[in-house]
Amino acid sequence: MFFRSIYALKSSAKLLAFPLLFLATVASASAGTEENLQTFRLNISPHGYPPYLIVDGEEPSGILWDVMAEIAPRLGYVLIPRKIPRKRVDSMLLDGYIDGTLRAIEWTEKPEKYLFTQAVVDVEEVLFFERGTELEFSDPADLFGHTIVAHLGYRYPVLAPYFEQEAIKRFNVSSDKDLFRYVLLGDRFDGALADRLVGQWILRNEGLTNRFRSSTGNISKYGFRLMLRKDWTDFAQGFNRELSAMHENGELNAILANYR
């Protein structure tokens, strides 16, 4: 009877050891996988740039963040957000404190110092008009004699000469939301200048989508890209490959649809 009890205890111990060993093996493999992943520190700026980068929630979101969050793991990286003031971004990128930021080549001082990927999305500055008006934009002359609400401090090279000559009148506001609010005030303001996706995002969140339409023509168009140090060539090539795949399989369009 004694030996039979000893045998039963040994058998139970073996059965218990197997699942413990299995769990330990799985945990070890999982830890090994995480250790193999590298980190990619992405600047999202302190205030973001909705809808491209949104930082007012617990987790970052936005068009560009969502694209990066899809691609980084596919290339073996864990995506880490960093909120860097605009004036310090370039130097902190070159110094290795961050690994990338999102930027248009045309907005960058000395762009030859950096490596840029393919454009994730185009940034278009367009005119927004109240629905029901006949005003359209394809050429600056279309706006002659009209007053356009624009963002204070922003320069619009295509329209700048006409603003200076007052062939087109410009009214400045300090908030993106005010661009649209002023157009709705009355006949004094005829349209608003804004980035197409930014405008669509604001109108959606303010419940004003049915009050405005955007022009088919634009006054500028720049590619929003990932900006890296020049030694990140392999990452840039992998990023471009995955981005092209997202274009083709509809993943990118699905992300864009979430913010329009």
Side-chain angles (χ1 to χ4, degrees), residues 39-45 53 65 68 77-84 88-103 114-117 224-232 235 239:
T39 58
F40 187 94
R41 297 159 298 178
L42 178 70
N43 169 52
I44 59 173
S45 83
L53 291 166
W65 175 265
M68 287 295 300
Y77 288 82
V78 175
L79 190 60
I80 308 294
R82 289 285 185 264
K83 296 181 179 180
I84 311 298
R88 299 174 61 193
V89 171
D90 293 11
S91 62
M92 295 184 83
L93 176 60
L94 291 176
D95 291 341
Y97 182 80
I98 56 173
D99 302 309
T101 192
L102 293 150
R103 184 87 59 78
Y114 308 94
L115 178 65
F116 291 88
T117 65
F224 224 150
R225 310 166 188 272
L226 180 60
M227 178 173 132
L228 306 156
R229 289 187 298 279
K230 284 200 166 183
D231 57 340
W232 281 69
F235 186 93
F239 182 91

Side-chain angles (χ1 to χ4, degrees), residues 86 90 103-111 114 116 227:
R86 175 65 182 88
D90 293 11
R103 184 87 59 78
I105 296 174
E106 295 82 359
W107 302 344
T108 306
E109 186 177 351
K110 298 181 180 179
Y114 308 94
F116 291 88
M227 178 173 132

